[in-house]
Amino acid sequence: MLQKTQDLERPAPKESSNAGTVSLGTFLGFLSPAVVTLAAIGIAPLAFAIWTSMRDYNLTRLQRTPFVGLENYATVLTDSVFWDAMGRTFTLLLIALPMQIAAGLGIALILHRPGLTFLKTIARLSLVIPMATTYAVVGLLGQIMFNLKYGVVNQLLGFIGIAPVNWIGDPTNAFAAIVFWDVWQWTPFCALVFLAGLTTVPGEIEEAARLETKSWWTVLRYVQLPFLVPGLTAVLILRTADTLKQFDMVFTMTRGGPGSSTELISLLIQRIGFRAFDQGLASAQAVILLVITIVLSRLYIHFFYREI
Amino acid sequence: MSMKSTIKRLTGGAALALALSPVTAFAWSLEEAAQPYAGTTVDVVFLLRPGYEAAKKMLPEFEEKTGIKVNVTDMPYENALGEQVRDFVANGDFDIALVDLVWIGNFAENEWIVPAEKFINDPALADPDLDLEDFFPLVLDAFGSWGGTLYGLPFDNYSGLLFYNQCMLEEAGLDGPPETWGELKDEYGPALTKDGKYAFALQSKRNETQSADSFARVLWPFGGSFLDDEFRSNLMSEESQAGLQFRQDLMQYMPEGIVAYDHAEAVNALAQGDVAMITEWSSFYSTLKDPATSTIGDCLAVAPEPEGPAGRKPALGGFSLAVASQADENEQAAAWLFIQWVTSKENAAKYLELGGVPARQSVYEMEGVAEKYDFVPALVESWQEGVPEFRPRFAEWPEITEIVQEWGTKMMLGEVSTEEGAKQIGDRMEAVLEEAGYYDGEKPLVQ
């Protein structure tokens, strides 16, 4: 502390004050590539989406795109189809995310235990495979694996005497199938984040805690969990945003069907924007989704991250 | 203006142009016509279906004769409309539009495609043997024209047919295919649905398959339709409701999960002997006949779709090729030469041989064709009785089909009754049409 105080009191060398002055050119030179890129790929499309959301903007009627103000927003907010899709998206989130967190934490705790180094290395590597698989490929695999007659899932169920299940053609089962795939693909992500969090717990504190109590729950709750909160917040924010954007896997596996049973919000926006070509309405839906995502992210940070 | 008079006018115009031209009809050849455009590349979308594979096999011959390069972009049906619309809106690369019959109103009203008249009346480009009257009139009208103007030439042509496993029918003591939808449900359904096999599969996946292959298929034979003469919903009519209720009743003889069946699943179910009958597009004949993709071999038989109380009214679908407006003059000319060549009378037999289904009447009159391709008699019969507006062809169809797909599937799943579903579709469909200006006289009532 004394050394630090001395450093602060020591007058800065003359040349260092010159070095601290950054010319405007340098400043712009370093910042502008990032700002321009962000403006081009993030802000400009967003601005365009907001602009189209206030017009009757249909790709098949581009001769006439009148300004309609907030009419598209009013249509979206009073449309039961939009809220049904939003409800399904949050149902997926509320079912899949706790499963991913619980299973991910369990895997992380197992891998955190000492011993069996080689097997744990193999396990860590294996965890990357689901995450590295392209979403669309996961959906296509699902379409084949969950096929009523020829799918491997029903074959396996047959071995234990369970009759073939109509996975893709039944609304409830189709939803269960997308929950299954989401959990399969993203539990490893949670596991790896939690494992990284566990490695930040100081060894001596954890060791001391284990000497104090035999209860693994006490160690987890009072020693390990505080170190996992930043990772948990990241998982919550990323997985929520990912689930709200979930498209490829569901689109390739069920296309939102049967009926509307797996039509998540992103599939609805794609359907309105690119199959019915109503870009105005789809943009309004997307802007509302963006607002919901931002609000949720802020809530997560407010309630979880602040406690650290 | 009727299509018949349009054809006559175009044919007459072409003949006059040829007569007045210094180049006589006898001197016309593809090679000479293409000379100014050698080295030009034309871009076109093809689907992953047998007719396109056939055309691709024919491409080298065209390219060799003309020096014109045809650049094909393959994509599944579900992506083809979106890709093309985005390309046309952005003034992109496609020089030829692949036009499903339900897209033609959209493409024509947006002026994304060029009326064929421009090329037919150009003696340097028009093949004297073009012979528009040789196309099945229904097909040329439905696939290639909008508002009395011809835009495209029929290329990948379908009619709904009844494909059936005659061995399964014989084993069940049934003599030949059902003549009516009523027979199919009441006699063939119970007799053929047993031991894990089903009498019938109606592909009903929630995409265009639900609208075209499932929903519309039960409307028309029962006297129903999407719209009445005033363009109001006709789905609550007694006839439409009878058709939709028929579909619900027929589901007991279909495999579980039929709402997840697309063409591939339905064709595969028949090909593997899991179902006895399907109503499918004629283009799937080659898949069902090929021993590499089908196990039923000689048990495969083909008949026209069954009749309903209002007649046969089989499903009608297919694609024309039209020249894209965004192409420059050279590309347009090269594109027309390709379209004219690939759909020509001269190439129809080869196209058929390679797995395509041409819309030329003359090829089906050739000796041995009906015997070699046993779907031909049923196809020819179907193309006499089809309905051009089987699905409305106006620009608003992409919006309306989404509504039909959603609520049609909900009906099948029992989530809503046929009345409730029809009411929902009707209300939403009318809202789209009102927005488009059909009810205030802004747009003519053309479908």
Side-chain angles (χ1 to χ4, degrees):
Chain A
M1 182 60 75
L2 183 66
Q3 180 63 42
K4 276 190 179 172
T5 312
Q6 284 172 350
D7 286 347
L8 287 171
E9 285 170 355
R10 191 181 299 147
K14 204 174 177 183
E15 62 272 20
S16 72
S17 64
N18 288 341
T21 309
V22 180
S23 72
L24 186 64
T26 312
F27 179 76
L28 289 176
F30 276 101
L31 268 186
S32 58
V35 172
V36 168
T37 307
L38 186 66
I41 64 170
I43 296 171
L46 178 63
F48 184 68
I50 293 171
W51 184 79
T52 51
S53 73
M54 295 188 182
R55 308 191 87 85
D56 178 8
Y57 196 92
N58 191 306
L59 283 183
T60 64
R61 294 194 298 268
L62 282 182
Q63 309 90 329
R64 203 183 51 170
T65 57
F67 180 77
V68 293
L70 298 176
E71 196 181 303
N72 283 328
Y73 289 93
T75 306
V76 172
L77 293 172
T78 54
D79 184 7
S80 62
V81 174
F82 176 80
W83 290 113
D84 287 349
M86 196 60 96
R88 278 186 288 275
T89 310
F90 277 97
T91 306
L92 172 68
L93 181 70
L94 292 175
I95 296 174
L97 189 55
M99 290 166 82
Q100 289 163 358
I101 290 172
L105 185 60
I107 294 169
L109 288 171
I110 292 168
L111 291 177
H112 184 62
R113 293 175 68 173
L116 299 171
T117 314
F118 177 69
L119 284 178
K120 284 198 298 192
T121 306
I122 299 283
R124 277 197 193 98
L125 289 173
S126 309
L127 285 175
V128 180
I129 294 171
M131 284 191 298
T133 311
T134 310
Y135 300 174
V137 171
V138 173
L140 290 171
L141 281 174
Q143 204 179 55
I144 298 164
M145 290 172 67
F146 285 107
N147 183 284
L148 174 64
K149 199 165 175 65
Y150 307 104
V152 70
V153 175
N154 278 346
Q155 294 287 322
L156 291 174
L157 291 176
F159 290 139
I160 52 172
I162 297 176
V165 177
N166 180 17
W167 291 106
I168 308 287
D170 177 84
T172 310
N173 293 343
F175 195 82
I178 66 165
V179 170
F180 170 84
W181 273 133
D182 199 59
V183 171
W184 174 81
Q185 191 165 29
W186 291 106
T187 296
F189 170 71
C190 299
L192 291 175
V193 170
F194 292 140
L195 190 58
L198 288 172
T199 58
T200 62
V201 182
E204 63 275 15
I205 295 178
E206 194 176 329
E207 202 177 323
R210 290 192 193 286
L211 290 172
E212 288 288 328
T213 176
K214 282 186 175 178
S215 166
W216 66 269
W217 170 249
T218 307
V219 175
L220 175 66
R221 170 68 186 87
Y222 295 102
V223 179
Q224 293 170 319
L225 207 56
F227 289 90
L228 294 179
V229 170
L232 178 65
T233 311
V235 164
L236 287 173
I237 292 172
L238 292 173
R239 289 305 305 133
T240 302
D242 277 349
T243 306
L244 291 175
K245 291 187 303 182
Q246 175 64 274
F247 177 79
D248 317 39
M249 179 266 284
V250 184
F251 186 77
T252 50
M253 186 158 82
T254 65
R255 264 190 106 83
S260 305
S261 59
T262 56
E263 187 173 73
L264 307 181
I265 190 67
S266 55
L267 274 86
L268 175 70
I269 294 173
Q270 186 269 350
R271 177 163 73 83
I272 300 297
F274 294 105
R275 283 155 65 188
F277 301 113
D278 193 339
Q279 298 272 311
L281 198 62
S283 296
Q285 291 173 332
V287 170
I288 291 170
L289 179 64
L290 177 67
V291 170
I292 291 171
T293 311
I294 291 170
V295 169
L296 275 177
S297 301
R298 295 305 306 167
L299 285 176
Y300 284 146
I301 291 169
H302 180 77
F303 285 111
F304 292 95
Y305 202 69
R306 219 176 51 162
E307 287 182 8
I308 299 168
Chain B
M1 187 185 298
S2 76
M3 197 60 221
K4 203 169 177 180
S5 61
T6 305
I7 295 170
K8 283 203 167 137
R9 185 168 53 79
L10 287 174
T11 310
L16 186 66
L18 285 168
L20 295 175
S21 156
V23 184
T24 67
F26 299 105
W28 195 92
S29 73
L30 177 64
E31 289 83 346
E32 282 180 30
Q35 236 171 23
Y37 314 110
T40 305
T41 298
V42 293
D43 290 277
V44 61
V45 167
F46 271 13
L47 304 182
L48 302 166
R49 292 186 179 176
Y52 302 84
E53 293 305 316
K56 275 196 267 184
K57 286 176 192 158
M58 293 161 65
L59 277 182
E61 186 190 339
F62 175 78
E63 291 181 341
E64 194 182 321
K65 278 184 175 172
T66 61
I68 295 167
K69 166 91 179 121
V70 180
N71 186 26
V72 173
T73 305
D74 290 311
M75 59 182 66
Y77 173 80
E78 289 301 323
N79 296 3
L81 175 61
E83 282 295 331
Q84 292 189 99
V85 167
R86 285 190 288 276
D87 192 84
F88 295 145
V89 167
N91 202 16
D93 298 326
F94 292 134
D95 306 303
I96 297 176
L98 176 70
V99 192
D100 189 351
L101 88 163
V102 285
W103 305 339
I104 192 140
N106 186 358
F107 285 22
E109 285 180 15
N110 280 294
E111 297 178 357
W112 291 332
I113 49 179
V114 184
E117 198 167 13
K118 174 178 176 182
F119 311 104
I120 290 172
N121 290 339
D122 182 344
L125 294 174
D127 183 348
D129 288 331
L130 176 60
D131 193 3
L132 291 175
E133 290 181 346
D134 185 48
F135 286 105
F136 283 90
L138 170 76
V139 177
L140 188 66
D141 181 15
F143 298 6
S145 73
W146 179 248
T149 302
L150 182 72
Y151 288 90
L153 299 182
F155 165 59
D156 182 28
N157 313 285
Y158 313 144
S159 175
L161 298 174
L162 180 76
F163 292 95
Y164 63 98
N165 184 328
Q166 59 188 347
C167 304
M168 284 174 79
L169 265 62
E170 280 165 19
E171 277 169 29
L174 298 162
D175 184 22
E179 280 294 319
T180 65
W181 282 106
E183 269 179 41
L184 190 150
K185 177 169 77 73
D186 299 330
E187 292 173 35
Y188 289 67
L192 292 162
T193 305
K194 58 188 175 188
D195 307 326
K197 311 278 184 192
Y198 295 88
F200 187 62
L202 183 66
Q203 58 281 9
S204 301
K205 190 165 183 171
R206 187 188 158 174
N207 52 35
E208 193 65 22
T209 306
Q210 167 66 223
S211 308
D213 296 79
S214 187
F215 193 93
R217 181 167 258 132
V218 294
L219 279 186
W220 291 97
F222 288 81
S225 61
F226 285 97
L227 298 168
D228 63 16
D229 292 341
E230 270 78 48
F231 263 39
R232 295 289 172 182
S233 169
N234 191 38
L235 296 174
M236 293 300 283
S237 70
E238 200 179 313
E239 294 81 6
S240 296
Q241 282 297 311
L244 293 171
Q245 189 53 52
F246 174 83
R247 181 172 66 157
Q248 296 302 115
D249 298 339
L250 189 59
M251 279 177 68
Q252 61 186 301
Y253 305 118
M254 299 187 206
E256 203 182 342
I258 195 69
V259 287
Y261 273 50
D262 210 335
H263 298 289
E265 286 78 14
V267 169
N268 194 43
L270 181 70
Q272 302 304 318
D274 296 330
V275 302
M277 298 176 286
I278 60 171
T279 40
E280 254 300 357
W281 299 117
S282 42
S283 60
F284 288 102
Y285 173 80
S286 50
T287 310
L288 287 162
K289 199 71 182 170
D290 185 351
T293 48
S294 175
T295 61
I296 59 172
D298 291 338
C299 288
L300 176 70
V302 191
E305 285 193 16
E307 284 185 42
R312 199 174 302 283
K313 310 280 175 80
L316 184 68
F319 297 80
S320 63
L321 293 176
V323 176
S325 309
Q326 65 184 5
D328 66 30
E329 285 297 316
N330 279 356
E331 288 166 341
Q332 286 194 2
W336 171 258
L337 288 173
F338 171 68
I339 294 168
Q340 182 178 243
W341 179 83
V342 80
T343 60
S344 66
K345 264 197 297 191
E346 184 193 349
N347 279 319
K350 188 172 185 186
Y351 184 55
L352 181 64
E353 175 80 33
L354 291 170
V357 179
R360 292 285 188 171
Q361 297 184 69
S362 54
V363 73
Y364 299 110
E365 288 158 9
M366 287 166 68
E367 203 175 321
V369 166
E371 290 73 32
K372 188 172 178 189
Y373 305 97
D374 42 12
F375 69 96
V376 165
L379 179 79
V380 172
E381 188 179 338
S382 296
W383 276 343
Q384 314 295 336
E385 300 177 66
V387 189
E389 64 274 21
F390 186 77
R391 286 167 286 162
R393 301 180 301 142
F394 44 43
E396 291 69 28
W397 177 252
E399 283 176 83
I400 291 175
T401 186
E402 292 293 332
I403 300 165
V404 174
Q405 289 164 28
E406 181 183 353
W407 291 95
T409 315
K410 283 184 175 177
M411 278 182 209
M412 293 185 78
L413 288 166
E415 291 176 6
V416 293
S417 66
T418 56
E419 292 88 357
E420 209 179 327
K423 171 93 175 48
Q424 288 286 347
I425 296 172
D427 290 348
R428 288 159 193 259
M429 184 165 64
E430 287 183 7
V432 171
L433 297 175
E434 180 155 28
E435 176 80 21
Y438 285 100
Y439 300 141
D440 56 16
E442 199 181 321
K443 287 185 92 173
L445 304 185
V446 180
Q447 54 170 323

